Amino acid sequence: MNTQTSENTNLLEIKNLSKYFPIKSGLLQRVTGHVRAVEDISFTIPKGSTLGLVGESGCGKTTAGRTLLQLYKPTKGEVFYNGMNLAKLSRAKLRKMRPEFQMIFQDPYSSLSPRMPVSEIIGEGVRAHGIVGKTEYEAHIKKIMEECGLQSHHMNRYPHEFSGGQRQRICIARALALNPSFIVCDEPVSALDVSIQAQIINLLKQLQKERGLTYLFISHDLSVVEHISDNVGVMYLGSMVELAAKEELYANPLHPYTKALLSAAPIPDPKVKMNRTILSGDIPSPANPPSGCKFHTRCPQCKGICEEQVPQFQDTGDGHYVACHFAGA
């Protein structure tokens, strides 16, 4: 699904990507079903831009990010990176390409080894992939630390000696040390205080500008996504329900789910009256999703066709994609 006029500008192109996890039961551990964590999603990410991926917890955002990085093997679909289909690469070729795409995890403490000093955490991948020579190693680590707002005298400290914001800077430095082109940011600020969130977001934007980085920014916080993204995709129960340029999506949301998410975002003005859209019911299980439109069990606009037919993910104009039988109604 292309929101740009030229495919040559796209660093990543995702086509009909799906990831199912088997459900096993009984003494023989036979497969009795599947959790459809990600189902038939398509999008592109132009070079040097940021795609924000939003949705409720459990909607498949993180699984989508890990699957396109080939940390999970896709059940179906294709992932093209610079025109190369990653799923068809051999393990040796994929390993050589690993430094080019990295991931920043949600919890900066649990993703850092408590037994390794900062210099080793940042430099482990550098040594494994031979990014720089032995004589340049220490200077490379110091340079990366300084770019991420860390002092060189922090090199021999351990993760427990840092604050949450500093730990996340270490995680960013670890990813950056391999000179990547693409980074999946998996809710990198959700565990941080609001003031620290702003610092980390500004750091990511600065690094993107200086290094020409491309981001997939996963978050449930719509205000954060609005600040950093160029395009925004909305996921529900493993499926992409809306995708558009940031300005277009926030000004003119078409899917009822997107409207509900935006109505729940707080506005920092006590004089503005909030018109909340309250969704009824609970999120269905991805192991047994509803027929037709997955959102019809909670949708205030639901009609008969929604229960029977799966809506097509189609362009309504100007690269604004939506999967809804009554988009804009």
Side-chain angles (χ1 to χ4, degrees):
M1 211 56 62
N2 202 333
T3 58
Q4 302 293 315
T5 56
S6 172
E7 291 189 0
N8 295 329
T9 65
N10 295 322
L11 183 69
L12 259 85
E13 187 172 359
I14 314 302
K15 294 183 176 180
N16 308 110
L17 186 68
S18 297
K19 177 59 185 176
Y20 300 165
F21 294 99
I23 301 173
K24 298 180 180 181
S25 60
L27 292 174
L28 299 178
Q29 289 293 287
R30 290 176 176 169
V31 176
T32 56
H34 289 87
V35 175
R36 300 180 180 185
V38 176
E39 189 164 27
D40 197 29
I41 64 172
S42 300
F43 57 87
T44 60
I45 309 180
K47 294 178 181 178
S49 71
T50 300
L51 173 69
L53 201 57
V54 300
E56 294 170 288
S57 296
C59 72
K61 306 185 297 296
T62 296
T63 302
R66 295 189 178 202
T67 304
L68 66 88
L69 290 181
Q70 305 299 301
L71 298 178
Y72 294 146
K73 184 177 176 61
T75 304
K76 292 185 292 185
E78 298 174 308
V79 178
F80 291 93
Y81 176 84
N82 265 335
M84 293 178 288
N85 190 344
L86 296 183
K88 292 186 177 180
L89 294 179
S90 66
R91 291 184 65 181
K93 288 184 178 179
L94 185 61
R95 186 181 185 279
K96 286 184 179 179
M97 288 188 64
R98 282 291 179 198
E100 294 189 34
F101 34 85
Q102 294 296 306
M103 190 166 189
I104 300 170
F105 297 94
Q106 178 176 357
D107 187 347
Y109 190 66
S110 63
S111 64
L112 299 175
S113 172
R115 299 186 178 185
M116 295 173 66
V118 168
S119 60
E120 290 297 317
I121 290 172
I122 297 173
E124 186 178 24
V126 175
R127 284 177 171 165
H129 291 280
I131 303 299
V132 296
K134 291 183 179 179
T135 57
E136 303 167 328
Y137 173 80
E138 186 173 338
H140 178 71
I141 300 303
K142 287 182 178 180
K143 179 177 178 293
I144 295 297
M145 289 180 67
E146 289 173 1
E147 283 189 58
C148 295
L150 297 166
Q151 302 298 319
S152 58
H153 63 264
H154 291 159
M155 291 182 67
N156 296 320
R157 294 186 182 179
Y158 290 81
H160 72 271
E161 299 180 76
F162 294 89
S163 66
Q166 288 175 315
R167 289 174 194 151
Q168 196 58 287
R169 289 176 185 271
I170 296 170
C171 293
I172 294 171
R174 177 176 59 185
L176 206 65
L178 279 77
N179 299 323
S181 299
F182 174 65
I183 299 178
V184 173
C185 306
D186 184 14
E187 303 217 29
V189 298
S190 63
L192 307 177
D193 295 338
V194 175
S195 60
I196 307 301
Q197 287 184 10
Q199 294 178 20
I200 297 300
I201 292 297
N202 290 335
L203 172 62
L204 290 172
K205 292 182 70 175
Q206 178 184 339
L207 293 171
Q208 182 177 46
K209 183 178 180 180
E210 293 174 352
R211 290 174 167 258
L213 296 171
T214 304
Y215 293 143
L216 174 66
F217 192 91
I218 298 168
S219 180
H220 63 271
D221 191 329
L222 288 159
S223 60
V224 170
V225 169
E226 184 179 16
H227 187 66
I228 194 173
S229 302
D230 298 294
N231 300 305
V232 179
V234 182
M235 287 187 69
Y236 179 80
L237 211 63
S239 297
M240 189 80 76
V241 297
E242 191 161 3
L243 174 65
K246 174 185 65 178
E247 295 81 3
E248 169 67 16
L249 186 130
Y250 279 79
N252 182 34
L254 298 179
H255 198 281
Y257 180 61
T258 307
K259 294 177 182 178
L261 289 180
L262 289 172
S263 74
I267 299 175
D269 187 348
K271 296 180 181 179
V272 175
K273 184 178 180 181
M274 299 287 291
N275 294 317
R276 290 287 304 275
T277 300
I278 307 298
L279 299 177
S280 60
D282 298 323
I283 302 176
S285 169
N288 185 28
S291 60
C293 176
K294 293 181 179 180
F295 187 60
H296 84 258
T297 58
R298 305 174 70 197
C299 182
Q301 301 178 16
C302 177
K303 297 182 180 179
I305 189 175
C306 303
E307 301 177 18
E308 300 170 0
Q309 296 183 19
V310 178
Q312 296 297 312
F313 192 62
Q314 56 189 357
D315 190 353
T316 61
D318 296 325
H320 192 152
Y321 290 85
V322 64
C324 180
H325 294 295
F326 306 99

